[in-house]
Amino acid sequence: MRLLFLRLATPVSLPFMGRASRVSDRGGVLGRSRKTPPRSLRESPSPGGEGKERLRLSLACIVALATMLTASVDLRAARADIVINVDQGATQPVPIAIPAFGGAAMAAQISGVVSADLQRSGLFRPLDPATFPALGPDLNVKPGFDAWKAISAQGLLTGAVSVDGDGHLRASVRLWDVYAGEALIGTEFTSTPANWRRVAHKIADAVYAKLTGQSGYFDTRVVFVAEGGSKARPVRRLEIMDQDGANPSYLTDGSYLAFTPRFSANSQEVAYMALRPTGSTLYLLNIETGRQESLGRFPGMVFAPRFSADGRKVAFSLEKDGNTDIYVMDVASHAAARLTSDAAIDTSPSFSPDGGQMVFNSDRGGSPQLYVMNASGGGVHRISFGSGRYTTPVWSPDGKLIAFTKQQGGEFHIGVMRPDGSDEHLLTTSYLDEGPTWAPNSHVILFSRDGGSGAHLWSIDVSGRQLVAAPYGPRASDPAWSALLP
Amino acid sequence: MTRFRIPAARAALIILATASLAACASRPKPMGPVATTAPPPAYQTAPAPGPGPVVEETGAPTPGSARDFVINAGDLVYFDTDRFNVRDDARAILDAQAAWLARYPAVRVRIEGNADERGTREYNFALGARRAAAVKDYLVGHGLPAGRMDTVSYGKEHPLDTGSGEESWAHNRNAHTLITGGAR
């Protein structure tokens, strides 16, 4: 039975990224794609149709997990529900078959990256290709689902990749619900061959979004501090990589210590702190050009920069005569305004996504706790009341949660609470966990963990179930997760 | 980082000096009642490279040199966990620093505030800054012009003691007075 995929397939163009891909730009696609961001295109109906969509695929697992994820962030959820969910046993990841895509040279590599993305999320279990039944060459012919049921596949992702005459890479994919016997996704992604990894991440994002109901986070990058040298002679360089660890690239040369990089709204710039023996500097670094500018000269230490969601402001800490307060700077004019004037330490500011509020860390009550205030200053109220010390609050992109570092009883935790301070739960525990950053879908958190042998990057989902070492082997800290790339 | 980048030959001499200090430090600690943790030994401290010939480092310190300051005044004071008040055991050292710096008015210093690793990075930058400022305030209060001093916070990023555990953390909660110019 031939379905109408070709007519319904949604072509998606990716913009070119990085110097290498820009070199191979044949023109045209760059401008077009920026006018038509793939994110919105990707959200258009797939051949499965929203109304006909049957998530039998998710019977045992995805629905349960998505429900639990939703419960974790649903403001109506009861406190007890969250605790019980977190304490429940691990859900089973959904078995999904991803046969190597056919066609152009990088086809199998693309399906490999898709598979790795989905597996690392913890929500999917890609099956062993050696067990796969034969698959016909035509992407649009319904597979024989009984053979896929026989190997316990609930989802089947097939794809074909070609490079056409004008040099464009085209990847067509179908996601089949094996038990419903229906296609859930029928989409074509278009870019340059140099962008094949990003095409793969877009496909993985589409699968994740379809099956979880949440937007994906695979076509993203992470900037962080690469830790080299020894404890006594530390080297701290900014480095950037794709979220799956590919394409790592240093952004600073190590001639000074670099800390706390944070992405701008469009993920093209990074604000960070440089530390030299003579003091600290806040820089704005353009990732593509490598050029950076100082945010100005200040009389004391400046640190803890963080952009507002619209990218027009940077909040930061400035120390004068030992006292640290929070300031906000207009990025365009560099005009700075003071927001707190307490004698206590006020640091680690993070804007709410609507820009109206700011959560920060202060020890004005005697120990470090979390406070929320208006983004223009004033209206300060404390939101953390548990035992222990709370630091590094970060507002989630969807506004529903605040992630933080908590120190208690000789251990460190990454935790989350609602912006009003309710429903606190701790997601991790170790000798030193620190510095959470949110995936753009507000469901996964990257942080650094030092178990005693140096810091490394880890991720945890908001359910607290999926703790995974990030795909970066060397020592690293201060991760910052980009938005979904355009 | 001046403090941490020392030519190899000089570093070897510093290790010798450090070893002798460490030997002193291994003496049994007094058992009397002490309100706060006893001042840790100033070990692994790398004095700022002075302008004189290297061979002088093994002999008596040249009066007015950076090494003279480290040995005869002391360049480190320690703080309690999450605190920045100058402890009683730090006052004698800071008094000696003030007196020494009064004797050599051309000398400029940088006060480096440090924190242990049991805190988050940003908070510890603020905490280190408080400690550096506390030492600066103390020295100003004892007659040293503020213009001869600057401060910096290294947070938890430059641990003096690279070990872990309470003893190492106690060493790393410090303010280090580094001579940046004007010494003999």
Side-chain angles (χ1 to χ4, degrees):
Chain A
M1 173 181 174
R2 183 171 292 269
L3 300 179
L4 298 175
F5 289 129
L6 290 178
R7 188 164 60 80
L8 293 171
T10 307
V12 175
S13 294
L14 296 176
F16 298 93
M17 280 195 54
R19 297 179 189 86
S21 54
R22 186 170 292 135
V23 170
S24 60
D25 184 358
R26 304 289 178 88
V29 173
L30 180 61
R32 271 207 312 277
S33 62
R34 287 209 171 147
K35 286 173 196 158
T36 54
R39 216 181 311 174
S40 56
L41 289 175
R42 202 183 58 219
E43 288 165 4
S44 60
S46 64
E50 298 301 326
K52 290 194 294 179
E53 189 175 313
R54 288 177 214 160
L55 290 178
R56 288 184 204 172
L57 173 59
S58 52
L59 268 181
C61 316
I62 284 289
V63 162
L65 187 60
T67 302
M68 188 269 309
L69 288 175
T70 304
S72 297
V73 296
D74 188 339
L75 293 182
R76 294 164 302 180
R79 178 186 301 251
D81 289 342
I82 291 171
V83 173
I84 290 169
N85 280 332
V86 169
D87 290 344
Q88 282 172 352
T91 52
Q92 292 296 313
V94 169
I96 185 170
I98 309 178
F101 292 176
M106 68 278 288
Q109 291 171 281
I110 289 175
S111 50
V113 168
V114 173
S115 179
D117 278 350
L118 295 175
Q119 178 160 37
R120 211 171 35 257
S121 75
L123 305 185
F124 300 88
R125 180 167 61 87
L127 297 168
D128 178 6
T131 66
F132 288 174
L135 193 65
D138 189 341
L139 206 58
N140 299 312
V141 174
K142 257 190 182 181
F145 292 113
D146 286 345
W148 295 97
K149 287 178 191 169
I151 63 164
S152 303
Q154 293 187 24
L156 170 64
L157 182 69
T158 60
V161 179
S162 63
V163 177
D164 62 20
D166 61 0
H168 287 132
L169 179 149
R170 297 182 190 282
S172 293
V173 294
R174 308 286 181 266
L175 174 65
W176 301 92
D177 181 333
V178 170
Y179 284 84
E182 285 190 343
L184 300 176
I185 294 176
T187 304
E188 180 177 89
F189 295 82
T190 305
S191 187
T192 58
N195 266 346
W196 68 268
R197 295 193 72 94
R198 290 204 51 208
V199 169
H201 295 317
K202 289 287 190 203
I203 294 168
D205 278 333
V207 172
Y208 182 100
K210 178 58 68 178
L211 296 185
T212 68
Q214 312 288 340
S215 65
Y217 57 89
F218 301 118
D219 189 26
T220 55
R221 296 201 281 181
V222 177
V223 63
F224 56 97
V225 173
E227 301 207 341
S230 63
K231 264 192 173 182
R233 295 167 184 258
V235 177
R236 301 286 182 265
R237 302 174 68 179
L238 297 193
E239 189 168 358
I240 192 168
M241 65 181 183
D242 299 348
Q243 57 77 27
D244 66 346
N247 298 314
S249 175
Y250 288 115
L251 298 175
T252 61
D253 64 8
S255 61
Y256 50 84
L257 301 176
F259 297 111
T260 60
R262 274 78 191 251
F263 276 112
S264 62
N266 65 8
S267 302
Q268 289 302 298
E269 285 190 306
V270 165
Y272 75 99
M273 171 207 191
L275 179 60
R276 300 179 173 89
T278 49
S280 65
T281 310
L282 297 182
Y283 286 113
L284 289 188
L285 169 65
N286 185 299
I287 294 169
E288 296 302 321
T289 66
R291 298 179 65 160
Q292 66 181 12
E293 60 168 325
S294 164
L295 280 178
R297 295 176 64 87
F298 297 93
M301 295 287 294
V302 281
F303 51 104
R306 203 177 282 276
F307 279 99
S308 59
D310 65 7
R312 294 164 65 177
K313 295 175 183 170
V314 171
F316 62 98
S317 274
L318 168 60
E319 171 263 337
K320 281 181 184 168
D321 300 325
N323 180 39
T324 295
D325 280 308
I326 292 172
Y327 288 68
V328 66
M329 172 178 285
D330 180 80
V331 173
S333 68
H334 285 201
R338 184 173 184 168
L339 298 186
T340 67
S341 53
D342 197 277
I345 288 175
D346 295 329
T347 190
S348 300
S350 172
F351 287 95
S352 61
D354 66 6
Q357 292 176 290
M358 196 181 287
V359 62
F360 64 102
N361 167 218
S362 176
D363 67 353
R364 62 185 64 195
S367 73
Q369 298 288 336
L370 306 185
Y371 294 78
V372 169
M373 66 178 170
N374 301 328
S376 53
V380 176
H381 58 281
R382 179 170 164 178
I383 64 165
S384 65
F385 291 96
S387 58
R389 301 152 55 90
Y390 295 79
T391 49
T392 72
V394 188
W395 219 302
S396 67
D398 66 6
K400 294 178 178 175
L401 290 172
I402 288 168
F404 54 83
T405 303
K406 181 173 181 174
Q407 183 181 358
Q408 186 178 24
E411 289 182 316
F412 281 69
H413 312 272
I414 302 299
V416 292
M417 63 173 63
R418 297 184 199 176
D420 65 3
S422 63
D423 286 341
E424 170 183 337
H425 61 278
L426 302 180
L427 306 176
T428 72
T429 302
S430 89
Y431 176 74
L432 181 55
D433 285 349
E434 175 177 359
T437 180
W438 289 96
N441 72 354
S442 298
H443 283 293
V444 185
I445 292 168
L446 266 172
F447 62 100
S448 74
R449 162 169 292 184
D450 187 347
S453 61
H456 292 84
L457 303 183
W458 290 74
S459 67
I460 185 77
D461 72 324
V462 292
S463 78
R465 294 165 192 257
Q466 307 292 345
L467 176 67
V468 182
Y472 182 80
R475 289 186 287 128
S477 59
D478 284 348
W481 212 321
S482 78
L484 276 172
L485 298 175
Chain B
M1 306 287 164
T2 311
R3 188 178 146 203
F4 299 95
R5 296 196 179 138
I6 301 153
R10 194 181 298 275
L13 294 171
I14 290 165
I15 289 166
L16 282 176
T18 302
S20 61
L21 282 171
C24 296
S26 65
R27 287 175 304 189
K29 289 177 182 172
M31 298 302 290
V34 179
T36 57
T37 49
Y43 78 132
Q44 291 186 3
T45 305
V54 172
V55 288
E56 287 191 19
E57 300 255 357
T58 56
T62 302
S65 68
R67 193 161 158 267
D68 180 35
F69 177 74
V70 171
I71 292 174
N72 292 317
D75 61 339
L76 277 164
V77 294
Y78 300 93
F79 295 85
D80 290 336
T81 299
D82 212 18
R83 302 296 296 273
F84 61 101
N85 56 299
V86 173
R87 294 193 327 212
D88 289 346
D89 62 78
R91 293 179 187 277
I93 294 169
L94 295 181
D95 288 346
Q97 287 188 9
W100 193 95
L101 292 167
R103 206 152 54 233
Y104 301 102
V107 171
R108 291 184 46 82
V109 295
R110 174 174 304 137
I111 300 156
E112 304 166 331
N114 293 289
D116 67 38
E117 65 188 16
R118 303 310 283 162
T120 47
R121 183 165 266 163
E122 290 176 344
Y123 184 82
N124 277 343
F125 283 128
L127 184 56
R130 274 179 161 173
R131 289 173 176 162
V135 166
K136 180 181 178 180
D137 288 348
Y138 189 97
L139 294 176
V140 167
H142 287 68
L144 196 66
R148 289 174 61 191
M149 293 177 277
D150 58 57
T151 58
V152 68
S153 172
Y154 288 144
K156 61 175 176 177
E157 311 304 330
H158 271 317
L160 185 68
D161 184 330
T162 57
S164 286
E166 182 47 48
E167 191 178 350
S168 297
W169 302 333
H171 294 150
N172 291 333
R173 297 188 291 263
N174 65 68
H176 176 239
T177 305
L178 173 74
I179 292 182
T180 54
R184 292 178 186 173

